[in-house]
Amino acid sequence: MEEVIERARSGDVDALGHLWRAYNHLLLRYFRGKGMAEPEDLASTVWVEVASSLSRFEGSEYDFRRWLFTIAARRRIDDIRSTKRQEARTQRDRQTTIMEYAPDTQVVADQAAAIDRALAIIRTLPSDQAEAVLLRVIGELGIAEVAAIMGASEGNVRVLVHRGLKRLAEPASQPASQPASDPAVVTNQPRPTMSSP
Amino acid sequence: MTSEDHNSDVSIAALRSPALPAEQVGEAAAVTAMLEVLSTTRARVVGRRTRRGITIAAVTVASLGVGGLVAAGPGFFQAAANKVFINDDPTTNGQDDENEDEDEQDEVSSTDDSSNDDQASDDTSDESDDPSVEIAPQRSETDPANTSDEIICAEGNHGQTVSSVAHATEPGPDKGQIVSQAAQSDCGKTNVSEDGGVQPDDPGNPNATTPADTRPTPTPPTNPGNGNGPPDDPGNGNGNPND
């Protein structure tokens, strides 16, 4: 992967595509897990920022992943600050989002369902717990890196991750309670438009 | 493994699973956007480096130029001043310019030859503030006393010697006497052993210099404190022809 990153720095199209395919779905799941209304748009902005700074990046694959999710967290915070615009678009684009994730095979469908279930549970967590779990699980980052991104102590991050994973481990039969602050719940099943809480 | 652990593992595995087809939509557009940003960033960096390089080069050249001028300034301007100073010498006319441009500085320097004003260059005789003018009276005062004892043959033939004396001597009541003495001297004359000098004007003399090379140096009247002519005068220091 380091070689791919190096080639991508020099403008290799294949290398850039390789990077995108390797990490874009993780970015999408991260943004979806945080309940962002437009995960694709946010992911696009992340990749643009990566491309603008890629020439200055130096490090391993792990360093790249940490850098990528640091940018993603920043973009997410920037997006949250424009809340009004986000809520308006959520109502408008929800149907499109649902249709976009419609699976075409059973295997893929089962996989998609499992992803959605996990993300749905994470969205019920407090924001900092969700952030810690997503960065730990999806970003596969260490405690120190998660703490650096979140601006928290490592001990605090450990507690947050533990509590979040404990929630993930709850039996699947137990219905996940939807937090009042969660504006977007994306599933593969088309359903009537929900009124905003 | 407890059920909770199982559930946790399932969730974690799901979240880390490979990309779904729906999550791969838009790859081409994303890569195109990234390429565009990459090329723009590289062009900006190159432009910045180029501009920085040009700026550094321009500043360096300017510094060297200014520094060179500053370093050469005194000498440059001094040379210019000297040149002007030399040109100010009223004794230099169109014929003698090349003969007197160097050695006149510390000797004649400032005789105001009014008879040559119309022939001299336009940069001397009218200079009322020429410091050389102030020196001239002093020299003229000492000249009569030293003339008879301190005539030193200059390079060149007899005529050039007399001519140089005439030009070097400032106008005054004593000028005629001085020039007369120079004319009566044996400077520059051939077959004269009293002056102890080789006659540079002898065409048969292999050491003879061409007229263009001879530089009749001024005689002692120009410098009351110095009985010697310029160091390059082969006849210098040989005493007076009148002895």
Side-chain angles (χ1 to χ4, degrees), chain A residues 8 10-11 13 16-17 20-21 24-25 28-29 47-48 51-52 100 108 111-112 114-115 118-119 122 136-137 140 168-171, chain B residues 3-5 7-8 10-12 14-27 30-31 33-35 37-38 41-42 45:
Chain A
S10 60
V13 177
L16 287 171
W20 190 90
R21 286 191 298 274
N24 187 66
H25 65 287
L28 292 177
R29 292 170 190 178
W47 286 115
V48 167
S52 66
E100 195 168 321
V108 175
Q111 179 184 350
I115 293 173
L119 291 177
I122 290 174
R136 241 346 232 136
V137 172
E140 297 186 61
L168 274 178
E170 288 176 357
Chain B
S3 60
E4 289 183 351
D5 294 335
N7 291 336
S8 174
V10 169
S11 297
I12 291 174
L15 291 172
R16 291 178 178 174
S17 62
L20 297 171
E23 292 172 329
Q24 300 280 2
V25 175
E27 175 184 345
V31 170
M34 290 167 68
L35 273 174
V37 171
L38 262 175
T41 304
R42 260 184 280 158
V45 169

CSV table of all heavy atoms in Angstrom, one decimal, chain A residues 8 10-11 13 16-17 20-21 24-25 28-29 47-48 51-52 100 108 111-112 114-115 118-119 122 136-137 140 168-171, chain B residues 3-5 7-8 10-12 14-27 30-31 33-35 37-38 41-42 45:
chain,number,residue,atom,x,y,z
A,8,ALA,N,0.4,7.2,-6.2
A,8,ALA,CA,-0.7,8.2,-6.2
A,8,ALA,C,-0.2,9.6,-6.1
A,8,ALA,O,-0.8,10.5,-6.7
A,8,ALA,CB,-1.7,7.9,-5.1
A,10,SER,N,2.4,10.8,-7.3
A,10,SER,CA,2.9,11.3,-8.6
A,10,SER,C,1.8,11.4,-9.6
A,10,SER,O,2.1,11.7,-10.8
A,10,SER,CB,4.0,10.4,-9.0
A,10,SER,OG,3.5,9.0,-9.2
A,11,GLY,N,0.6,11.1,-9.2
A,11,GLY,CA,-0.6,11.3,-10.2
A,11,GLY,C,-0.9,10.1,-11.0
A,11,GLY,O,-1.6,10.2,-12.0
A,13,VAL,N,-3.1,7.3,-12.1
A,13,VAL,CA,-4.6,7.2,-12.0
A,13,VAL,C,-4.9,5.9,-11.4
A,13,VAL,O,-5.9,5.8,-10.5
A,13,VAL,CB,-5.1,7.2,-13.5
A,13,VAL,CG1,-6.6,7.0,-13.5
A,13,VAL,CG2,-4.8,8.6,-14.1
A,16,LEU,N,-4.5,6.1,-7.6
A,16,LEU,CA,-5.6,6.9,-7.0
A,16,LEU,C,-6.9,6.1,-6.9
A,16,LEU,O,-7.6,6.1,-5.9
A,16,LEU,CB,-5.8,8.2,-7.8
A,16,LEU,CG,-4.7,9.2,-7.7
A,16,LEU,CD1,-4.9,10.4,-8.8
A,16,LEU,CD2,-4.7,9.8,-6.3
A,17,GLY,N,-7.2,5.4,-8.0
A,17,GLY,CA,-8.4,4.5,-8.0
A,17,GLY,C,-8.3,3.5,-6.9
A,17,GLY,O,-9.2,3.1,-6.2
A,20,TRP,N,-8.9,5.0,-3.6
A,20,TRP,CA,-10.3,5.3,-3.4
A,20,TRP,C,-11.1,4.0,-3.1
A,20,TRP,O,-12.0,4.0,-2.2
A,20,TRP,CB,-10.8,6.0,-4.7
A,20,TRP,CG,-12.2,6.6,-4.6
A,20,TRP,CD1,-12.5,7.8,-4.2
A,20,TRP,CD2,-13.4,5.9,-4.8
A,20,TRP,NE1,-13.9,8.0,-4.2
A,20,TRP,CE2,-14.4,6.8,-4.6
A,20,TRP,CE3,-13.7,4.6,-5.3
A,20,TRP,CZ2,-15.8,6.5,-4.8
A,20,TRP,CZ3,-15.1,4.3,-5.4
A,20,TRP,CH2,-16.1,5.3,-5.2
A,21,ARG,N,-10.9,3.0,-3.8
A,21,ARG,CA,-11.6,1.7,-3.6
A,21,ARG,C,-11.3,1.1,-2.3
A,21,ARG,O,-12.2,0.5,-1.7
A,21,ARG,CB,-11.3,0.7,-4.7
A,21,ARG,CG,-11.9,1.0,-6.1
A,21,ARG,CD,-11.7,-0.2,-7.0
A,21,ARG,NE,-10.3,-0.5,-7.2
A,21,ARG,CZ,-9.6,0.1,-8.2
A,21,ARG,NH1,-10.1,1.0,-9.0
A,21,ARG,NH2,-8.3,-0.2,-8.4
A,24,ASN,N,-12.9,4.4,0.5
A,24,ASN,CA,-14.1,5.2,0.3
A,24,ASN,C,-15.2,4.6,1.1
A,24,ASN,O,-16.0,5.3,1.7
A,24,ASN,CB,-14.4,5.3,-1.1
A,24,ASN,CG,-15.6,6.3,-1.3
A,24,ASN,OD1,-15.4,7.5,-1.1
A,24,ASN,ND2,-16.7,5.8,-1.8
A,25,HIS,N,-15.4,3.2,1.0
A,25,HIS,CA,-16.6,2.6,1.7
A,25,HIS,C,-16.4,2.8,3.2
A,25,HIS,O,-17.4,2.9,3.9
A,25,HIS,CB,-16.7,1.2,1.3
A,25,HIS,CG,-15.6,0.3,1.8
A,25,HIS,ND1,-14.3,0.3,1.2
A,25,HIS,CD2,-15.5,-0.6,2.8
A,25,HIS,CE1,-13.5,-0.5,1.9
A,25,HIS,NE2,-14.2,-1.1,2.8
A,28,LEU,N,-17.7,6.2,3.9
A,28,LEU,CA,-19.1,6.3,3.9
A,28,LEU,C,-19.7,5.7,5.1
A,28,LEU,O,-20.7,6.3,5.7
A,28,LEU,CB,-19.6,5.5,2.6
A,28,LEU,CG,-19.3,6.1,1.3
A,28,LEU,CD1,-19.7,5.2,0.2
A,28,LEU,CD2,-19.9,7.5,1.1
A,29,ARG,N,-19.2,4.6,5.6
A,29,ARG,CA,-19.8,4.0,6.8
A,29,ARG,C,-19.5,4.8,8.0
A,29,ARG,O,-20.4,4.9,8.9
A,29,ARG,CB,-19.2,2.6,7.0
A,29,ARG,CG,-19.6,1.6,5.9
A,29,ARG,CD,-18.9,0.3,6.0
A,29,ARG,NE,-19.1,-0.5,4.8
A,29,ARG,CZ,-18.6,-1.7,4.6
A,29,ARG,NH1,-17.7,-2.2,5.4
A,29,ARG,NH2,-18.9,-2.4,3.5
A,47,TRP,N,-11.7,13.3,-0.1
A,47,TRP,CA,-10.8,12.9,-1.2
A,47,TRP,C,-10.1,14.1,-1.9
A,47,TRP,O,-8.9,14.1,-2.2
A,47,TRP,CB,-11.4,12.0,-2.2
A,47,TRP,CG,-11.7,10.6,-1.7
A,47,TRP,CD1,-12.9,10.1,-1.5
A,47,TRP,CD2,-10.7,9.7,-1.3
A,47,TRP,NE1,-12.8,8.8,-1.0
A,47,TRP,CE2,-11.4,8.5,-0.8
A,47,TRP,CE3,-9.3,9.7,-1.2
A,47,TRP,CZ2,-10.8,7.4,-0.4
A,47,TRP,CZ3,-8.7,8.5,-0.8
A,47,TRP,CH2,-9.4,7.4,-0.3
A,48,VAL,N,-10.9,15.2,-2.0
A,48,VAL,CA,-10.3,16.4,-2.6
A,48,VAL,C,-9.2,17.0,-1.7
A,48,VAL,O,-8.1,17.4,-2.2
A,48,VAL,CB,-11.4,17.4,-2.9
A,48,VAL,CG1,-10.8,18.8,-3.2
A,48,VAL,CG2,-12.3,17.0,-4.0
A,51,ALA,N,-6.2,14.8,-2.0
A,51,ALA,CA,-5.4,15.0,-3.2
A,51,ALA,C,-4.6,16.3,-3.1
A,51,ALA,O,-3.5,16.4,-3.6
A,51,ALA,CB,-6.3,15.1,-4.4
A,52,SER,N,-5.1,17.3,-2.5
A,52,SER,CA,-4.4,18.6,-2.4
A,52,SER,C,-3.2,18.5,-1.5
A,52,SER,O,-2.3,19.3,-1.7
A,52,SER,CB,-5.4,19.7,-1.9
A,52,SER,OG,-5.8,19.4,-0.6
A,100,GLU,N,-30.2,4.1,-3.4
A,100,GLU,CA,-28.9,3.9,-3.9
A,100,GLU,C,-28.2,2.7,-3.2
A,100,GLU,O,-27.4,2.0,-3.8
A,100,GLU,CB,-28.1,5.1,-3.5
A,100,GLU,CG,-26.7,5.2,-4.2
A,100,GLU,CD,-26.1,6.6,-4.0
A,100,GLU,OE1,-26.9,7.6,-4.0
A,100,GLU,OE2,-24.9,6.7,-3.8
A,108,VAL,N,-24.9,-10.0,-0.9
A,108,VAL,CA,-24.6,-8.5,-0.7
A,108,VAL,C,-25.7,-8.0,0.1
A,108,VAL,O,-25.5,-7.1,1.0
A,108,VAL,CB,-24.5,-7.8,-2.1
A,108,VAL,CG1,-24.4,-6.4,-1.9
A,108,VAL,CG2,-23.4,-8.4,-2.9
A,111,GLN,N,-25.0,-8.8,3.7
A,111,GLN,CA,-23.9,-7.9,4.1
A,111,GLN,C,-24.4,-6.5,4.4
A,111,GLN,O,-24.0,-5.9,5.4
A,111,GLN,CB,-22.8,-7.9,3.1
A,111,GLN,CG,-21.6,-7.1,3.5
A,111,GLN,CD,-20.5,-7.0,2.4
A,111,GLN,OE1,-20.6,-7.7,1.4
A,111,GLN,NE2,-19.6,-6.2,2.6
A,112,ALA,N,-25.1,-6.0,3.5
A,112,ALA,CA,-25.6,-4.6,3.6
A,112,ALA,C,-26.5,-4.5,4.8
A,112,ALA,O,-26.5,-3.5,5.6
A,112,ALA,CB,-26.4,-4.2,2.4
A,114,ALA,N,-26.4,-6.3,7.6
A,114,ALA,CA,-25.5,-6.4,8.8
A,114,ALA,C,-24.8,-5.0,9.0
A,114,ALA,O,-24.8,-4.5,10.1
A,114,ALA,CB,-24.5,-7.5,8.6
A,115,ILE,N,-24.4,-4.4,7.9
A,115,ILE,CA,-23.8,-3.1,8.0
A,115,ILE,C,-24.8,-2.1,8.6
A,115,ILE,O,-24.5,-1.3,9.5
A,115,ILE,CB,-23.2,-2.6,6.7
A,115,ILE,CG1,-22.1,-3.5,6.3
A,115,ILE,CG2,-22.8,-1.2,6.8
A,115,ILE,CD1,-21.5,-3.2,4.9
A,118,ALA,N,-25.5,-2.5,12.3
A,118,ALA,CA,-24.4,-2.0,13.1
A,118,ALA,C,-24.4,-0.5,13.2
A,118,ALA,O,-24.2,0.1,14.2
A,118,ALA,CB,-23.0,-2.6,12.6
A,119,LEU,N,-24.6,0.1,12.0
A,119,LEU,CA,-24.6,1.5,12.0
A,119,LEU,C,-25.8,2.1,12.7
A,119,LEU,O,-25.7,3.1,13.4
A,119,LEU,CB,-24.6,2.0,10.5
A,119,LEU,CG,-23.3,1.7,9.7
A,119,LEU,CD1,-23.4,2.2,8.3
A,119,LEU,CD2,-22.1,2.4,10.4
A,122,ILE,N,-24.9,2.1,16.3
A,122,ILE,CA,-23.9,3.1,16.6
A,122,ILE,C,-24.6,4.5,16.6
A,122,ILE,O,-24.2,5.3,17.4
A,122,ILE,CB,-22.7,3.1,15.6
A,122,ILE,CG1,-21.9,1.8,15.8
A,122,ILE,CG2,-21.9,4.3,15.7
A,122,ILE,CD1,-20.8,1.6,14.8
A,136,ARG,N,-12.3,3.5,15.9
A,136,ARG,CA,-11.6,2.3,16.3
A,136,ARG,C,-11.9,1.1,15.4
A,136,ARG,O,-11.1,0.3,15.0
A,136,ARG,CB,-12.1,1.9,17.7
A,136,ARG,CG,-11.2,1.9,18.9
A,136,ARG,CD,-9.8,1.8,18.9
A,136,ARG,NE,-9.4,0.7,19.7
A,136,ARG,CZ,-8.5,-0.2,19.4
A,136,ARG,NH1,-7.8,0.0,18.3
A,136,ARG,NH2,-8.2,-1.2,20.2
A,137,VAL,N,-13.2,0.9,15.1
A,137,VAL,CA,-13.6,-0.3,14.3
A,137,VAL,C,-13.5,-0.1,12.8
A,137,VAL,O,-12.8,-0.9,12.1
A,137,VAL,CB,-15.1,-0.6,14.6
A,137,VAL,CG1,-15.6,-1.7,13.7
A,137,VAL,CG2,-15.3,-1.0,16.1
A,140,GLU,N,-9.9,1.4,12.1
A,140,GLU,CA,-8.9,0.5,12.6
A,140,GLU,C,-7.7,1.3,13.2
A,140,GLU,O,-6.5,0.9,12.9
A,140,GLU,CB,-8.5,-0.5,11.5
A,140,GLU,CG,-9.6,-1.4,11.1
A,140,GLU,CD,-9.1,-2.5,10.1
A,140,GLU,OE1,-8.2,-3.3,10.5
A,140,GLU,OE2,-9.5,-2.4,8.9
A,168,LEU,N,-22.8,-2.5,21.1
A,168,LEU,CA,-22.9,-3.3,19.8
A,168,LEU,C,-23.1,-4.8,20.1
A,168,LEU,O,-23.7,-5.5,19.3
A,168,LEU,CB,-21.6,-3.2,19.0
A,168,LEU,CG,-21.4,-2.0,18.1
A,168,LEU,CD1,-20.1,-1.9,17.5
A,168,LEU,CD2,-22.5,-2.0,17.1
A,169,ALA,N,-22.7,-5.2,21.2
A,169,ALA,CA,-22.8,-6.6,21.6
A,169,ALA,C,-24.1,-7.0,22.1
A,169,ALA,O,-24.4,-8.2,22.3
A,169,ALA,CB,-21.7,-7.0,22.6
A,170,GLU,N,-25.0,-6.1,22.3
A,170,GLU,CA,-26.3,-6.4,22.8
A,170,GLU,C,-27.0,-7.3,21.8
A,170,GLU,O,-26.8,-7.1,20.6
A,170,GLU,CB,-27.1,-5.1,23.1
A,170,GLU,CG,-26.6,-4.4,24.3
A,170,GLU,CD,-27.3,-3.1,24.5
A,170,GLU,OE1,-28.2,-2.7,23.6
A,170,GLU,OE2,-27.1,-2.4,25.5
A,171,PRO,N,-27.8,-8.2,22.2
A,171,PRO,CA,-28.5,-9.1,21.3
A,171,PRO,C,-29.2,-8.3,20.2
A,171,PRO,O,-29.8,-7.3,20.4
A,171,PRO,CB,-29.5,-9.8,22.2
A,171,PRO,CG,-29.0,-9.7,23.6
A,171,PRO,CD,-28.2,-8.3,23.6
B,3,SER,N,-22.7,-14.7,23.9
B,3,SER,CA,-23.5,-14.2,22.8
B,3,SER,C,-23.2,-12.7,22.5
B,3,SER,O,-23.3,-12.2,21.4
B,3,SER,CB,-25.0,-14.4,23.1
B,3,SER,OG,-25.3,-13.7,24.3
B,4,GLU,N,-22.9,-12.1,23.6
B,4,GLU,CA,-22.6,-10.6,23.4
B,4,GLU,C,-21.3,-10.5,22.6
B,4,GLU,O,-21.2,-9.6,21.7
B,4,GLU,CB,-22.4,-10.0,24.8
B,4,GLU,CG,-23.7,-9.8,25.5
B,4,GLU,CD,-23.5,-9.1,26.9
B,4,GLU,OE1,-22.4,-8.9,27.2
B,4,GLU,OE2,-24.5,-8.7,27.5
B,5,ASP,N,-20.4,-11.3,22.9
B,5,ASP,CA,-19.1,-11.2,22.1
B,5,ASP,C,-19.4,-11.6,20.7
B,5,ASP,O,-18.8,-10.9,19.8
B,5,ASP,CB,-18.1,-12.2,22.7
B,5,ASP,CG,-17.6,-11.8,24.1
B,5,ASP,OD1,-17.7,-10.6,24.4
B,5,ASP,OD2,-17.2,-12.6,24.8
B,7,ASN,N,-22.2,-11.2,19.1
B,7,ASN,CA,-22.9,-10.0,18.5
B,7,ASN,C,-21.9,-8.9,18.1
B,7,ASN,O,-22.0,-8.3,17.1
B,7,ASN,CB,-24.0,-9.5,19.4
B,7,ASN,CG,-25.1,-10.5,19.5
B,7,ASN,OD1,-25.3,-11.3,18.6
B,7,ASN,ND2,-25.8,-10.4,20.6
B,8,SER,N,-21.0,-8.7,19.1
B,8,SER,CA,-20.0,-7.7,18.9
B,8,SER,C,-19.1,-8.0,17.7
B,8,SER,O,-18.8,-7.1,16.9
B,8,SER,CB,-19.2,-7.5,20.1
B,8,SER,OG,-18.2,-6.6,19.9
B,10,VAL,N,-19.8,-9.8,15.2
B,10,VAL,CA,-20.6,-9.8,13.9
B,10,VAL,C,-20.7,-8.3,13.5
B,10,VAL,O,-20.5,-8.0,12.3
B,10,VAL,CB,-22.0,-10.4,14.1
B,10,VAL,CG1,-22.9,-10.0,12.9
B,10,VAL,CG2,-21.9,-11.9,14.3
B,11,SER,N,-21.0,-7.5,14.4
B,11,SER,CA,-21.1,-6.1,14.1
B,11,SER,C,-19.8,-5.5,13.6
B,11,SER,O,-19.7,-4.8,12.6
B,11,SER,CB,-21.6,-5.3,15.3
B,11,SER,OG,-22.8,-5.7,15.8
B,12,ILE,N,-18.7,-5.9,14.3
B,12,ILE,CA,-17.4,-5.4,13.9
B,12,ILE,C,-17.1,-5.9,12.5
B,12,ILE,O,-16.6,-5.2,11.7
B,12,ILE,CB,-16.4,-5.8,15.0
B,12,ILE,CG1,-16.6,-5.0,16.2
B,12,ILE,CG2,-15.0,-5.5,14.4
B,12,ILE,CD1,-15.7,-5.4,17.4
B,14,ALA,N,-19.0,-6.8,10.2
B,14,ALA,CA,-19.9,-6.1,9.2
B,14,ALA,C,-19.4,-4.8,8.9
B,14,ALA,O,-19.3,-4.4,7.7
B,14,ALA,CB,-21.3,-6.1,9.7
B,15,LEU,N,-19.0,-4.1,9.9
B,15,LEU,CA,-18.5,-2.7,9.6
B,15,LEU,C,-17.2,-2.7,8.9
B,15,LEU,O,-16.9,-1.8,8.1
B,15,LEU,CB,-18.3,-2.0,11.0
B,15,LEU,CG,-19.5,-1.6,11.7
B,15,LEU,CD1,-19.2,-1.1,13.1
B,15,LEU,CD2,-20.4,-0.6,11.0
B,16,ARG,N,-16.4,-3.8,9.0
B,16,ARG,CA,-15.1,-3.9,8.3
B,16,ARG,C,-15.2,-4.7,7.1
B,16,ARG,O,-14.2,-4.9,6.4
B,16,ARG,CB,-14.0,-4.5,9.3
B,16,ARG,CG,-13.7,-3.7,10.4
B,16,ARG,CD,-12.7,-4.4,11.3
B,16,ARG,NE,-12.2,-3.6,12.5
B,16,ARG,CZ,-11.5,-4.0,13.4
B,16,ARG,NH1,-11.0,-5.2,13.4
B,16,ARG,NH2,-11.1,-3.2,14.4
B,17,SER,N,-16.3,-5.1,6.7
B,17,SER,CA,-16.5,-5.9,5.5
B,17,SER,C,-16.1,-5.1,4.2
B,17,SER,O,-16.1,-3.9,4.2
B,17,SER,CB,-17.9,-6.4,5.4
B,17,SER,OG,-18.8,-5.3,5.2
B,18,PRO,N,-15.8,-5.8,3.1
B,18,PRO,CA,-15.4,-5.1,1.9
B,18,PRO,C,-16.5,-4.2,1.4
B,18,PRO,O,-17.7,-4.4,1.8
B,18,PRO,CB,-15.2,-6.3,0.9
B,18,PRO,CG,-14.9,-7.5,1.8
B,18,PRO,CD,-15.7,-7.3,3.0
B,19,ALA,N,-16.2,-3.4,0.5
B,19,ALA,CA,-17.1,-2.4,0.0
B,19,ALA,C,-18.3,-3.1,-0.8
B,19,ALA,O,-18.1,-4.0,-1.5
B,19,ALA,CB,-16.4,-1.4,-0.9
B,20,LEU,N,-19.4,-2.6,-0.6
B,20,LEU,CA,-20.6,-3.0,-1.3
B,20,LEU,C,-20.6,-2.3,-2.7
B,20,LEU,O,-19.9,-1.3,-2.9
B,20,LEU,CB,-21.9,-2.6,-0.6
B,20,LEU,CG,-22.1,-3.2,0.8
B,20,LEU,CD1,-23.3,-2.6,1.5
B,20,LEU,CD2,-22.3,-4.7,0.7
B,21,PRO,N,-21.2,-2.9,-3.7
B,21,PRO,CA,-21.3,-2.3,-5.0
B,21,PRO,C,-21.8,-0.8,-4.9
B,21,PRO,O,-21.3,0.0,-5.7
B,21,PRO,CB,-22.3,-3.2,-5.8
B,21,PRO,CG,-22.2,-4.5,-5.1
B,21,PRO,CD,-21.9,-4.2,-3.6
B,22,ALA,N,-22.8,-0.6,-4.1
B,22,ALA,CA,-23.4,0.7,-4.0
B,22,ALA,C,-22.3,1.7,-3.4
B,22,ALA,O,-22.4,2.9,-3.7
B,22,ALA,CB,-24.6,0.7,-3.1
B,23,GLU,N,-21.4,1.2,-2.7
B,23,GLU,CA,-20.4,2.1,-2.1
B,23,GLU,C,-19.2,2.4,-3.0
B,23,GLU,O,-18.3,3.1,-2.7
B,23,GLU,CB,-19.8,1.4,-0.8
B,23,GLU,CG,-20.9,1.4,0.3
B,23,GLU,CD,-20.4,0.6,1.5
B,23,GLU,OE1,-19.6,-0.4,1.3
B,23,GLU,OE2,-20.8,0.9,2.6
B,24,GLN,N,-19.3,1.7,-4.2
B,24,GLN,CA,-18.2,1.9,-5.2
B,24,GLN,C,-18.7,2.9,-6.3
B,24,GLN,O,-17.9,3.1,-7.3
B,24,GLN,CB,-17.8,0.6,-5.8
B,24,GLN,CG,-17.3,-0.4,-4.8
B,24,GLN,CD,-15.9,-0.2,-4.4
B,24,GLN,OE1,-15.3,0.8,-4.9
B,24,GLN,NE2,-15.3,-1.0,-3.6
B,25,VAL,N,-19.8,3.4,-6.2
B,25,VAL,CA,-20.4,4.3,-7.3
B,25,VAL,C,-19.6,5.6,-7.2
B,25,VAL,O,-19.4,6.2,-6.1
B,25,VAL,CB,-21.9,4.5,-7.1
B,25,VAL,CG1,-22.4,5.5,-8.1
B,25,VAL,CG2,-22.6,3.2,-7.2
B,26,GLY,N,-19.2,6.1,-8.4
B,26,GLY,CA,-18.6,7.4,-8.4
B,26,GLY,C,-17.1,7.4,-8.4
B,26,GLY,O,-16.5,8.4,-8.1
B,27,GLU,N,-16.5,6.2,-8.6
B,27,GLU,CA,-15.0,6.1,-8.6
B,27,GLU,C,-14.4,7.0,-9.6
B,27,GLU,O,-13.4,7.8,-9.4
B,27,GLU,CB,-14.6,4.7,-8.7
B,27,GLU,CG,-13.1,4.6,-8.8
B,27,GLU,CD,-12.6,3.1,-9.0
B,27,GLU,OE1,-13.4,2.2,-8.9
B,27,GLU,OE2,-11.4,3.0,-9.4
B,30,ALA,N,-14.5,10.7,-8.9
B,30,ALA,CA,-13.7,11.0,-7.7
B,30,ALA,C,-12.2,11.0,-8.1
B,30,ALA,O,-11.5,12.0,-7.8
B,30,ALA,CB,-13.9,10.0,-6.6
B,31,VAL,N,-11.8,10.1,-8.9
B,31,VAL,CA,-10.4,10.0,-9.3
B,31,VAL,C,-10.1,11.2,-10.3
B,31,VAL,O,-9.0,11.8,-10.1
B,31,VAL,CB,-10.1,8.7,-10.1
B,31,VAL,CG1,-8.7,8.7,-10.7
B,31,VAL,CG2,-10.2,7.5,-9.1
B,33,ALA,N,-11.5,14.1,-10.2
B,33,ALA,CA,-11.4,15.3,-9.3
B,33,ALA,C,-10.1,15.3,-8.6
B,33,ALA,O,-9.4,16.4,-8.4
B,33,ALA,CB,-12.5,15.3,-8.3
B,34,MET,N,-9.6,14.2,-8.1
B,34,MET,CA,-8.4,14.1,-7.4
B,34,MET,C,-7.2,14.5,-8.3
B,34,MET,O,-6.2,15.2,-7.9
B,34,MET,CB,-8.2,12.7,-6.8
B,34,MET,CG,-9.1,12.4,-5.6
B,34,MET,SD,-9.2,10.7,-5.1
B,34,MET,CE,-7.5,10.5,-4.5
B,35,LEU,N,-7.2,14.0,-9.5
B,35,LEU,CA,-6.2,14.3,-10.5
B,35,LEU,C,-6.1,15.8,-10.8
B,35,LEU,O,-5.0,16.3,-10.8
B,35,LEU,CB,-6.4,13.5,-11.8
B,35,LEU,CG,-5.8,12.1,-11.9
B,35,LEU,CD1,-6.3,11.4,-13.1
B,35,LEU,CD2,-4.3,12.1,-11.8
B,37,VAL,N,-7.0,18.2,-8.8
B,37,VAL,CA,-6.5,18.9,-7.7
B,37,VAL,C,-5.0,18.6,-7.6
B,37,VAL,O,-4.2,19.6,-7.3
B,37,VAL,CB,-7.2,18.4,-6.4
B,37,VAL,CG1,-6.5,19.0,-5.1
B,37,VAL,CG2,-8.6,18.8,-6.4
B,38,LEU,N,-4.5,17.4,-7.8
B,38,LEU,CA,-3.1,17.1,-7.8
B,38,LEU,C,-2.3,18.0,-8.7
B,38,LEU,O,-1.3,18.5,-8.4
B,38,LEU,CB,-2.9,15.6,-8.1
B,38,LEU,CG,-2.7,14.7,-6.9
B,38,LEU,CD1,-2.7,13.2,-7.4
B,38,LEU,CD2,-1.5,15.0,-6.1
B,41,THR,N,-2.2,21.6,-7.7
B,41,THR,CA,-1.3,21.8,-6.5
B,41,THR,C,0.1,21.8,-7.0
B,41,THR,O,0.9,22.6,-6.5
B,41,THR,CB,-1.6,20.7,-5.5
B,41,THR,OG1,-2.9,20.7,-5.1
B,41,THR,CG2,-0.7,20.9,-4.2
B,42,ARG,N,0.5,20.8,-7.8
B,42,ARG,CA,1.8,20.8,-8.3
B,42,ARG,C,2.2,22.0,-9.1
B,42,ARG,O,3.3,22.5,-9.0
B,42,ARG,CB,2.0,19.5,-9.1
B,42,ARG,CG,2.7,18.4,-8.4
B,42,ARG,CD,2.9,17.2,-9.2
B,42,ARG,NE,1.7,16.4,-9.4
B,42,ARG,CZ,1.6,15.5,-10.5
B,42,ARG,NH1,2.5,15.4,-11.4
B,42,ARG,NH2,0.5,14.9,-10.6
B,45,VAL,N,2.9,24.8,-6.7
B,45,VAL,CA,4.1,24.6,-6.0
B,45,VAL,C,5.3,25.0,-7.0
B,45,VAL,O,6.2,25.7,-6.6
B,45,VAL,CB,4.3,23.2,-5.5
B,45,VAL,CG1,5.7,23.0,-5.0
B,45,VAL,CG2,3.3,22.9,-4.4
